[in-house]
Amino acid sequence: MADLTIALAGNPNVGKSTLFNALTGRHQHVGNWPGKTVAKQEGKLMIEGKHLTIIDLPGTYSLSAHSPEEEIARNFIVCGRPDAVVNVLDAANLERNLYLSAQILETGVPMILVLNMTDVATARGLQIHPEVLSTRLGIPVITMAASRGQGLGELKRLLATIARTPREAMLGSSVCA
Amino acid sequence: MTSFALTPSLRMTYASPIEVELTRLSEALGHCPDLVARYPMRWLAIQLLEGDTLLQAEVERLGGSVASEALAASRMRLETHYGEDLDVAMVDQRYRFVHDLAAQALTRPKTPSLTMSDRVDRIVTNRWLGIPIFLGLMWVVFKLTTDVAAPFVDWIDAVLTGPVSHWITSLLSITGLSGGWLESLLIDGVIAGVGGVLVFIPVLFSLYFALAILEDSGYMARSAFVMDRLMHRLGLHGKSFLPMVVGFGCSVPAIYATRTLENERDRILTGLLVPFMSCSARLPVYVLVAAIFFPTMAGLVIFGLYLTGILVAIGLGMLLKRTLFGNELPTPFVIELPPYRLPTLRNIWHQMWERTSAFLQHAWTIILGTSMVVWLLLALPVSGEGSFADTDVDQSAFAAVSGVMTPVFAPLGFGSWETSGALLTGFVAKEVVVSTMIQVYNVPGAEEEEVGATTIGEDLLAIGGGFLSATGDALKALPSIIGINLAAEEDEQAPDGLTGAIRQGFDASSGGHGALAALAFLVFVLLYTPCMVAVAAARQEFGSRWMWVSIIGQFVIAWLAALIVFQGGRFFL
Amino acid sequence: MLQKVLQALEETQGPVSLDELSRQLELDVGVLEGMIDFWVRKGKLKDSRLAACAGGCGNCNPGAQGCTFDRGRPRSITLT
């Protein structure tokens, strides 16, 4: 089976880079997106005997292509055919972050929600119900505090499951053929 | 494993008219294999209806006229529902969807916990406490800039007039150039002029330090907010104070900052008021004059001047708003108050350094240039027996030129050619007022009192020792900011040449009311044209007509205010 | 929801802070900021951060981040 490509998407400053580093360690490659001055972060991860390529997309608030960053993120999610998009959210700022999720949702790409910075959210007295999000959206939702290394194991297990699952099983009918 | 799915099962549904068109459009687009191969159809349809121009071009290219016509038709049908605002409606529905989702997935605390920032803001931006707190902090800033910086000012002054002048003289005598016009240019022109301004670097350094702390901590934004609210209540455009905060540093960027005001009239009005905010270049003048005439309450005098600037700006603004500028309602606005944070040393240092080096750059260009012109005019005899570079300053070309202006300033108590000259060169830049004053009041023979020759080693030792004792004095001055005076009352030193000369000069021109004339002089410096660059900025932003209104207006207001201070003060004293 | 932001701004008296507005509209500050950005793009609101400082500086050399004295100015958003 072919190797997998996983894209990390999310708003700026949600700890996406921390997660990217935690996943890929030293196996990183920094280049530029074709025709853009925006840096392209790419890393490798080995799970269940499969090579996962992790792409750290530029942090954006939306996918509306109003800036080079948004255009890159959008093009990659829609046309780059990632096997899954890991959408990282700031749990302490959930509503704003979910706007991007709603737009990714509309592309019909397979996705996972990672609610990061749950420690900050808890400190602010916010109670997050990941299971509600998961049931309503029908996708896996993981809580995480990447700066403390919490939730990383669960994400890796999930990625392992993705690596084992035949691609067709993850795809809905509405995605690019 | 087949049950494992990552594809969302929930689909966000738009309002039914939009959904109908989404279905129609994606069906029509589905007939173009090139599009189907590239994009998810529903997603593409959403973007197209939302008005994405990039994708529309793509659809026209790949899908041809069939696709474009389908899009145009869908848009047309939706126009009856949403008019021009289809995109607003779609984004709004997305926000609603997200809002509902968040409401289900998130329990917010019943009483939102107040962050530290919230708590501080309740006090700092309080309707009644806000302005007293702002004034109190300003007071601390000026105590800090004057008291803590003063020992270092004395130290640099001692270094420049002592060892450095001494070295230059020695160097010139070694090369056989001493006693000539070159020595005069270097000592009376460069050292007295530029050096006289450089002496005040510690003052600016501590002002920039205080400004950096206020900015970096997030307080500056609050002060603008508090003052804006006040101005709004006075019928002025609230946003006017935002550029004015910048004006405490420098008038020029403050004039450009008026661009954030949308209404042309408000913009011009604010541009006229901004120069009354006391910029950092005026501070050396205040420090020099206040140290001579009001040594025990220099901080208070300087604070009063800054306050006067604000009050004149607000008062004049109210007056103009009710007359020339029409009394329309100010536009409301939202201001972003950044969260409070502990200022970092790195940030503070960076800002202080950047601003101080900008000042130094200024010193080497404008101030040096003006000092040399002043020196040249002072060296040129127009009457009497003197020869070039060896003439009595009273008989110099500079005295003659400045003398023309003295009748204008006579009613204000400072109608001498020396002060007139300083104010004249002050049009170029405010620091130049200081350099010119030092040059014109430079008492000949003062340097000759220098005792004996010193070696470089002794000089260096004296410089180092001076710095240490300055640091000690500065530390002792710190508690006095909050009212404790640790430093023992120093014996009043006999005024040195410059201090004495300036005092005598003001006494003579004011009929014995030297201190009052000095105060009027400071008020004048506060209120008249800040500098040439500010004039150029005003011209660029508002046109030459308003530039002239600004120059003349500031001069008239400065003159009237100084008149009130001097004549009013004389009446009461 | 989007219209409410414009409405609230039209009705407000005097300057209002972003926090005050978010409490008044019962919206997260982040969400409100997103909505403001939308209206700024639509040209209904004006953001001071985008109305460049430009020009020059008298007492300072404008560096890469604009004038050093201009950075103390907070961001403000107005109706156009």
Side-chain angles (χ1 to χ4, degrees), chain B residues 87 92 95-96 108 232 239 246 249-250 252 256 259-260 262 332-336 354-355 358 361-362 533, chain C residues 1-2 9 12 14 16-18 28 34-35 42 48 54 56 58-61 68-69 73 75-78:
Chain B
D87 58 337
D92 187 63
Y95 269 116
R96 279 170 204 275
R108 292 169 212 262
H232 187 89
K239 239 163 131 183
V246 180
C250 174
V252 179
Y256 288 118
R259 285 184 190 176
T260 49
E262 40 297 310
F333 69 98
V334 185
I335 187 167
E336 184 184 29
E354 208 179 15
R355 292 175 178 184
Q361 201 184 342
H362 208 221
V533 193
Chain C
M1 284 174 87
L2 278 169
L9 251 170
T12 183
V16 55
S17 79
L18 206 57
D28 286 357
M35 293 179 166
K42 287 284 287 177
S48 67
N59 222 348
C60 61
N61 39 348
T68 165
F69 285 101
R73 189 156 49 96
R75 171 193 179 203
S76 66
I77 297 123
T78 333

Side-chain angles (χ1 to χ4, degrees), chain B residues 328-351:
Chain B
E328 56 199 296
L329 275 176
T331 12
F333 69 98
V334 185
I335 187 167
E336 184 184 29
L337 301 178
Y340 287 103
R341 52 175 197 182
L342 216 57
T344 61
L345 269 178
R346 216 176 132 258
N347 275 349
I348 293 176
W349 174 254
H350 180 75
Q351 282 200 37

Side-chain angles (χ1 to χ4, degrees), chain B residues 167-231:
Chain B
W167 292 339
I168 291 178
T169 324
S170 316
L171 206 66
L172 286 172
S173 72
I174 292 169
T175 48
L177 289 167
S178 65
W181 62 270
L182 186 62
E183 181 175 353
S184 169
L185 172 66
L186 287 178
I187 302 283
D188 303 332
V190 179
I191 295 279
V194 179
V197 177
L198 289 185
V199 158
F200 291 97
I201 281 184
V203 176
L204 291 173
F205 213 61
S206 41
L207 175 71
Y208 295 151
F209 173 74
L211 284 182
I213 288 188
L214 291 181
E215 280 169 21
D216 210 35
S217 64
Y219 178 74
M220 220 46 162
R222 270 85 184 171
S223 78
F225 180 56
V226 165
M227 289 303 288
D228 273 334
R229 219 165 38 191
L230 173 73
M231 296 188 68

Side-chain angles (χ1 to χ4, degrees), chain A residues 33-108:
Chain A
W33 292 92
K36 304 269 168 26
T37 49
V38 182
K40 178 179 187 179
Q41 301 253 18
E42 212 178 303
K44 296 254 183 254
L45 173 67
M46 188 76 167
I47 287 185
E48 305 259 320
K50 276 199 192 165
H51 290 287
L52 266 62
T53 304
I54 315 274
I55 311 277
D56 190 10
L57 295 175
T60 60
Y61 290 110
S62 90
L63 287 188
S64 306
H66 294 297
S67 66
E69 285 81 5
E70 287 183 0
E71 208 183 313
I72 288 165
R74 177 171 101 174
N75 287 354
F76 192 83
I77 290 172
V78 174
C79 310
R81 308 279 159 89
D83 293 281
V85 172
V86 174
N87 180 197
V88 187
L89 292 89
D90 171 3
N93 213 341
L94 190 65
E95 192 171 329
R96 178 173 208 183
N97 281 246
L98 277 173
Y99 187 85
L100 178 69
S101 312
Q103 284 191 313
I104 303 177
L105 224 57
E106 284 174 343
T107 67

Side-chain angles (χ1 to χ4, degrees), chain B residues 66-310:
Chain B
V66 186
S68 328
E69 276 160 24
L71 173 60
S74 286
R75 282 230 185 106
M76 186 86 99
R77 284 188 290 269
L78 285 169
E79 206 166 285
T80 54
H81 293 273
Y82 300 101
E84 297 286 295
D85 288 337
L86 179 59
D87 58 337
V88 178
M90 292 180 74
V91 172
D92 187 63
Q93 287 171 27
R94 204 175 287 133
Y95 269 116
R96 279 170 204 275
F97 168 77
V98 165
H99 189 68
D100 292 340
L101 204 57
Q104 291 168 348
L106 189 69
T107 316
R108 292 169 212 262
K110 284 194 188 67
T111 45
S113 62
L114 285 179
T115 60
M116 199 57 188
S117 273
D118 292 336
R119 265 176 254 222
V120 177
D121 271 344
R122 290 219 163 162
I123 302 166
V124 166
T125 63
N126 179 285
R127 234 153 247 284
W128 304 109
L129 294 175
I131 288 168
I133 290 175
F134 171 64
L135 295 178
L137 278 170
M138 258 179 68
W139 163 249
V140 172
V141 167
F142 298 121
K143 276 301 265 184
L144 184 85
T145 45
T146 50
D147 291 9
V148 176
F152 292 103
V153 171
D154 291 343
W155 171 69
I156 297 188
D157 184 40
V159 171
L160 283 177
T161 53
V164 174
S165 301
H166 183 74
W167 292 339
I168 291 178
T169 324
S170 316
L171 206 66
L172 286 172
S173 72
I174 292 169
T175 48
L177 289 167
S178 65
W181 62 270
L182 186 62
E183 181 175 353
S184 169
L185 172 66
L186 287 178
I187 302 283
D188 303 332
V190 179
I191 295 279
V194 179
V197 177
L198 289 185
V199 158
F200 291 97
I201 281 184
V203 176
L204 291 173
F205 213 61
S206 41
L207 175 71
Y208 295 151
F209 173 74
L211 284 182
I213 288 188
L214 291 181
E215 280 169 21
D216 210 35
S217 64
Y219 178 74
M220 220 46 162
R222 270 85 184 171
S223 78
F225 180 56
V226 165
M227 289 303 288
D228 273 334
R229 219 165 38 191
L230 173 73
M231 296 188 68
H232 187 89
R233 261 181 273 161
L234 299 175
L236 280 171
H237 191 296
K239 239 163 131 183
S240 304
F241 205 75
L242 276 75
M244 291 190 183
V245 164
V246 180
F248 283 132
C250 174
S251 299
V252 179
I255 288 172
Y256 288 118
T258 59
R259 285 184 190 176
T260 49
L261 286 105
E262 40 297 310
N263 182 322
E264 185 68 9
R265 283 165 159 257
D266 287 329
R267 230 166 69 77
I268 294 173
L269 176 59
T270 309
L272 291 179
L273 302 183
V274 152
F276 294 120
M277 307 306 280
S278 190
C279 69
S280 52
R282 285 159 171 149
L283 192 55
V285 188
Y286 305 159
V287 173
L288 174 75
V289 175
I292 294 172
F293 289 95
F294 317 100
T296 52
M297 43 181 202
L300 186 68
V301 168
I302 293 170
F303 175 69
L305 285 165
Y306 272 78
L307 206 58
T308 308
I310 299 177

